[in-house]
Structures are given as structure tokens and as C-alpha cells.
Amino acid sequence: MRKSFFAAGALAALACGAAPAAEPSADAWPIRAVQLDLARQMETVPMLKGYFDILAKAGYNTVVLYLEGRVQTKTFALPAGEGYSPAELRELVEHAGRLGLDVVPVVTVLGHGEKFFRYRDAARDALAEEREGDARFKVPGGPAPDRRTFCWSLPGTAAFYEKYLSEVAEIFPGKNFHVGMDESWNTGFCPLCREKVSGGRLGEHFTEIARWTHGVLARLGKRMWIWDDFYEFFPEKLEELPRDVVLCNWQYAAHITPHGGRGHYANQFRRDWLRTYSRLGFKTVIATHAGHPENSRSFNDYARKRKDVIGVLDCHWELEREFTGYYLPSIVGSAKIFCDPNGAVGRDCMGEAIAELFPSLDAAGREAVRTILNAPPSAAAPLDSALSNPQPDFSYGGVKLAVETLRRQLPEIGRGEVAADQLSESARLDDLLLTADLALVNWRLNRLTPYLVRPDRTAADVKVLGGAKVTAKTDVDIDAQGSVLADDSVAVKAETGKLTADAATGSITVADKADVDAKTTLGLAAGTFVKVTENAQVDAGDAIAVAANGGDVTVDASADVTSAKGVTVTAKNG
């Protein structure tokens, strides 16, 4: 007979059924933390308190709240429902304290400042690196970039953060305070900062900001944590960083080698960063990915052989539907590794976590849960991402069978209804099934997409017909063996750029009163041609450029071509 679901509100017993809270072994990590991304997905205070119950029972002793600009203070006002009040956060801190959990806030001071700039405020908007509508990776002619990076060349930035950090620090009594500093791509980009960072001085500018922030937090009695990724670009500047800064080394790969993790950006070389940090006198917290249990075990095994690693941080990012269903088994399973690294060797920690979190399932049901969890997280990515990015293969048949197995065992779940108790077993299974369903839909869409839009189609597959119009704000590029076939009064227009046929065999055929209008340049490479027939017109605002080695313009009937110097025009009838 199937067991009944947990009663609503019975949160303290959710994590491990009736089992007692996990007891850490003598060699457990001193800091065992989970990060919840509340900047991208806010959760209610009751929901978070219940989640804290689960984490404490699993053996964690720290919760990191990734907030960015979600904290309402006197300095930083937020619309109703868009942030947490000091009273709400103090309620969470007090509940965590009763459970033996330290709470570490994350307030970003460089990049990832979207929440600070999201709500229009002229004075604060003026502090963004992107305030002039430009950014380091902005597409030419594209829309203005979002404001997301504070400019530290402006005095107002330091004034804002000195007040805001003080206000947030009052809410969180713990000694640790995280200030982000990761993925800050536009730091040093604006005209004011560009002068400061010229000559390879970005690392100096970055470290000056870190040292200033460290000074503020030190006066508040806090120990500063930062993400370490940007120091890959200027590792020599680590020498200038205060040694009591805790470096959070995030690596999300499935396998971390004895030589360390792969570089975060541009496929940089592997480096044993933990050894480097220890040699320089820094303490480190390793940061794993909450959706990848194999990453937790691999990173744990590597870090155990290094000195000065004081803890582990299992990170949620942009949680969405995986908040309870997909990530929670991995978090509980990883806790068994972090609490008892030696005793966990050879144990099926994930299997134990599944049994504890889903006690209503029999052996087949628990194996079905494992099958769904083993599908890569990106298999259940949002639909726009699923269509635009190749998805990894996974066992479609296996996941489909797993879904059917769970629905047979528990037919009342998987209907997409919002449960009164979002942390109940039924809610967790519901989330898991919805994630699996989306993975199956994405799998089918990815298999269909090549039949709908093939990137390797031949010229014969692509036609512009029946009065259609092709407009390009910058470039229209026709690559190897490609062609544009324009029939029936078609207008091919490049308003500010150029229309080019790159390959020697490429061509542009304009027929039946069609109009090719290039405001700047119509450029054709060697061996290509423009064929203009039956009163069609080629009009170039500046020039028609036909490259050497065989290029020509063939004009039929009474067509009109304005020729530039060096262009060969062959006219059959005038």
C-alpha cells in the first residue's frame, strides 16, 4: 500500500523522513553552505524557512542568499514585492540561527548590478558603466545595453555603497559577507574608466575596488568573500589583495583533475588555483553546482588534497522550476559527501537522498527519479534556449519510461497545480515531472528543427519571391557557393552597410524590374557577377565595386547601370 504524502506544514521532517539530522564527521568541511539565488527568483519567507529546515537536517551549517539588489533599505528603495524588507530578512536570520545556520548575504558591487538599475532612478542610472548606451560587447547598430555595472570612477558609486553595505550588514550578524565581483565584463569600459585601465591596468583598477570594499566591510566587522574568476586575467594582482579575503573558486565541470579546473573563459588553460591561493596565504571556499552531484564529488576529492580550503558552497543559479524537484536530491546527496568525505567513498549518496526525499515511492519509482535527475539540466532549458542551442543527448526513452512509472505509482501528481505546501513530497515530485516533460518536449523540438531550418541548405533551397523584401541594417553576406535569387519586383536593400557575395562562385541575379539599392557599397568578389534584365536598375549611392579577376556587370534591354572607375560593363543591347 502506498504511503500517504506529508501533511502540509510538516516542514521539519521533510529532508530525511524520520531520520535524525546528519552528524558531521571529524573531517567534515568547516563551512558547508548552499546558495539560493533570490535575485533571479524571489521566494516567500515561509518557503525559505522550510528550505532552511531541510538544509539543516541534511547537515549544512551555512546558507548563502544571493541577493544582488533585493534588499530594501533607506538608501535603496524598491517597489512593493520586488525585494525583502529588513524585517523579513531578520526573520529568516533568526530562524536560521535556531537551526544552527549562519546566513551570508551576497551584494554585488561591480557586475550583476541589474537589480540596482532595473527601477529607473536618474541619479543611480548615471553611475552605470553603460550610461552612454555603449558596452564592451555591444553589437554595432544594436540596441543600447542594459545597465548592469557600476562605474567606480564616479564618486557617487563609493558614496552609494558605503551607505548600502552598512545598512545590509546591520541585518546579517554573521561575520561573512559576499560582494560578488564575478563576470564584470564592462568594468573599465566607460570613457572615465578607460583612461584608468589603459596600458594593461584593468587588474589594478579591479583590485583598487576590491581593497576599498574590503576596507568598508572590515570597519563593519565583516570578512569579505568574492568570486575568484576575474583574477584569471591578472593573477599577479592577487599579491595586492588583503589576505583575509576569502576566494570562492567556482568550478562546475563534472570532473576536476589533479591539475585543477579549466579556465572559466575562452578555454583558458588548467591551473591548480587552490594551490596558488594557499601559497599566497588566502583561504578558499570551493563552489560546486547544485544540479551536478558528480561535480560535488569530483571537486570535493580534488580540494581535500589542498591546504587552506575552509569550506564548500553548493550553488543554485536561476532556480526556476528546479528549485525543489531537480536540485534538492543533489543538494541532500552532496551534503553526505561534505559531512563525511571519507565515509562517503563508495556510497550511493544520491540513492540515499532520493529514498529520504521520496519515501512514498517503491524501488522502481526511486529509480525513475534517478533517471530523470541524470538527464542534463540543459535538456530542460527554456524553449527559446532549446531551439537556439544544441542540447546534449540523453535517454529519451528512459526519461519517458520514468515519467510513466511515476504517474502509474502516483496518478495524482504531475498536473502542474501549485501545492499549498511547496516543499511537500507531492510538490517536489510535481516539479520533477514538469521538468522531465519539458526535457522530452525540447528533445523532440531539437530533432525537428534541422528539418525546418537547415544551415547547410543549397542555393536552390533559398528563394525570395512574390514582392518580398530583404532589408539589412548593416551587411548581407553571401558565403561559399551561395546566391540570392530575386524575382518579381523584389527589393534587396542594405541601408547602412554593404551587399556582398564572398565566394568566387557566388552570384546575385536581379530580374524583372527588381531594384538593388546600396547606400554605401555593393561589393562583389572575384568571379561573381550582377545580371540586370528587363528594365531593372542597380543604384549605388557611392560606388559599385566589382573585384578583379573576371568580375563584370551584364546589362540586358534598357537597364540602367551607373559605372564607377575600374568597373567593366558589358551591355548586350545598349
Side-chain angles (χ1 to χ4, degrees):
M1 179 177 174
R2 197 157 33 98
K3 297 179 183 178
S4 61
F5 286 135
F6 292 115
L11 299 177
L14 288 177
C16 304
E23 289 292 333
S25 66
D27 63 342
W29 290 108
I31 296 174
R32 302 178 299 280
V34 170
Q35 175 182 274
L36 306 181
D37 187 346
L38 303 180
R40 282 65 176 265
Q41 178 168 323
M42 287 187 65
E43 295 291 344
T44 65
V45 170
M47 167 71 164
L48 291 171
K49 290 166 72 172
Y51 214 83
F52 289 4
D53 292 341
I54 296 174
L55 298 179
K57 198 169 185 65
Y60 291 98
N61 61 11
T62 304
V63 178
V64 174
L65 300 182
Y66 185 80
L67 295 162
E68 292 184 2
R70 285 286 191 194
V71 185
Q72 170 91 34
T73 71
K74 293 178 181 178
T75 298
F76 182 55
L78 286 165
E82 291 297 321
Y84 295 98
S85 69
E88 289 175 316
L89 292 171
R90 288 192 177 98
E91 183 179 347
L92 287 174
V93 169
E94 290 171 3
H95 184 76
R98 289 192 290 270
L99 297 169
L101 295 171
D102 183 28
V103 181
V104 179
V106 183
V107 174
T108 51
V109 298
L110 268 178
H112 289 302
E114 299 93 315
K115 295 296 179 293
F116 290 107
F117 297 111
R118 180 176 180 180
Y119 310 104
R120 295 276 71 88
D121 177 275
R124 194 163 52 250
D125 286 353
L127 300 178
E129 289 267 9
E130 304 89 354
R131 61 189 177 276
E132 296 186 7
D134 203 2
R136 185 164 274 121
F137 300 117
K138 178 178 177 288
V139 177
D146 293 335
R147 290 175 170 85
R148 59 178 62 234
T149 312
F150 276 91
C151 170
W152 283 83
S153 294
L154 296 169
T157 296
F160 168 76
Y161 270 113
E162 186 154 21
K163 293 178 182 178
Y164 189 66
L165 292 174
S166 299
E167 292 169 335
V168 176
E170 288 180 3
I171 301 171
F172 297 93
K175 68 177 182 178
N176 298 312
F177 198 110
H178 202 310
V179 293
M181 302 193 72
D182 62 315
E183 300 176 335
S184 187
W185 302 113
N186 289 327
T187 293
F189 179 77
C190 79
L192 283 176
C193 293
R194 210 171 300 164
E195 184 177 348
K196 283 188 175 183
V197 306
S198 62
R201 292 181 294 166
L202 178 60
E204 180 180 331
H205 181 58
F206 187 92
T207 303
E208 284 178 359
I209 298 167
R211 290 173 63 87
W212 182 92
T213 308
H214 171 269
V216 171
L217 292 177
R219 291 193 294 273
L220 296 170
K222 303 297 184 182
R223 186 176 190 180
M224 187 168 91
W225 292 16
I226 65 171
W227 303 114
D228 71 330
D229 50 307
F230 251 48
Y231 274 104
E232 288 183 5
F233 295 115
F234 29 78
E236 71 282 356
K237 291 300 176 181
L238 285 166
E239 295 277 4
E240 301 173 16
L241 197 63
R243 294 305 190 267
D244 62 342
V245 172
V246 175
L247 300 173
C248 297
N249 178 237
W250 59 272
Q251 292 286 344
Y252 301 151
H255 302 291
I256 310 297
T257 73
H259 303 292
R262 187 175 57 194
H264 292 95
Y265 311 117
N267 293 321
Q268 293 188 29
F269 58 87
R270 290 185 184 274
R271 181 165 178 172
D272 192 344
W273 287 104
L274 299 188
R275 191 184 298 277
T276 298
Y277 297 154
S278 176
R279 177 177 55 79
L280 290 172
F282 291 102
K283 303 296 184 185
T284 307
V285 168
I286 63 169
T288 57
H289 194 292
H292 300 281
E294 67 279 7
N295 167 248
S296 295
R297 187 179 288 277
S298 177
F299 206 173
N300 172 84
D301 293 345
Y302 156 67
R304 277 288 162 192
K305 301 178 178 66
R306 300 295 178 266
K307 298 178 181 179
D308 297 315
V309 181
I310 60 174
V312 59
L313 171 58
D314 210 24
C315 297
H316 280 228
W317 291 113
E318 304 182 32
L319 308 174
E320 298 182 354
R321 65 199 165 276
E322 297 97 348
F323 189 87
T324 59
Y326 191 91
Y327 280 130
L328 195 53
S330 175
I331 287 175
V332 173
S334 294
K336 300 177 185 300
I337 300 171
F338 305 149
C339 287
D340 188 10
N342 294 326
V345 175
R347 280 172 53 191
D348 181 10
C349 295
M350 178 62 83
E352 294 175 20
I354 292 171
E356 294 166 2
L357 290 167
F358 302 104
S360 297
L361 300 176
D362 61 17
R366 293 194 295 272
E367 195 59 35
V369 169
R370 187 196 296 269
T371 298
I372 294 172
L373 295 175
N374 283 340
S378 55
L383 290 180
D384 57 347
S385 175
L387 289 173
S388 60
N389 299 297
Q391 300 297 309
D393 287 330
F394 69 99
S395 174
Y396 176 89
V399 172
K400 188 170 185 295
L401 180 60
V403 170
E404 293 170 354
T405 298
L406 291 175
R407 288 208 164 104
R408 279 198 303 270
Q409 288 200 23
L410 303 168
E412 63 268 43
I413 65 171
R415 298 173 181 170
E417 300 172 357
V418 178
D421 179 359
Q422 292 180 312
L423 292 172
S424 66
E425 183 187 7
S426 60
R428 292 199 296 273
L429 284 168
D430 208 51
D431 282 355
L432 194 66
L433 281 174
L434 289 174
T435 300
D437 283 338
L438 185 53
L440 295 174
V441 170
N442 284 354
W443 190 95
R444 289 192 289 268
L445 284 173
N446 270 274
R447 295 316 181 270
L448 285 172
T449 299
Y451 296 98
L452 301 174
V453 182
R454 291 209 324 269
D456 60 341
R457 286 189 169 191
T458 64
D461 294 321
V462 182
K463 287 190 176 184
V464 184
L465 302 172
K469 184 176 183 179
V470 178
T471 303
K473 295 298 183 184
T474 52
D475 292 339
V476 177
D477 291 323
I478 306 169
D479 295 323
Q481 298 186 0
S483 68
V484 174
L485 176 61
D487 294 336
D488 194 14
S489 301
V490 175
V492 180
K493 180 183 292 186
E495 292 187 358
T496 58
K498 59 184 178 180
L499 184 64
T500 62
D502 291 333
T505 55
S507 65
I508 300 176
T509 302
V510 184
D512 193 14
K513 298 183 181 180
D515 180 22
V516 176
D517 181 9
K519 296 298 184 186
T520 306
T521 303
L522 174 63
L524 302 179
T528 62
F529 65 90
V530 176
K531 184 177 182 181
V532 186
T533 62
E534 296 186 29
N535 296 310
Q537 178 174 322
V538 176
D539 178 16
D542 289 337
I544 302 173
V546 181
N549 299 325
D552 64 10
V553 178
T554 301
V555 184
D556 290 346
S558 57
D560 180 23
V561 175
T562 302
S563 174
K565 183 178 180 181
V567 176
T568 300
V569 178
T570 302
K572 294 181 179 180
N573 290 309

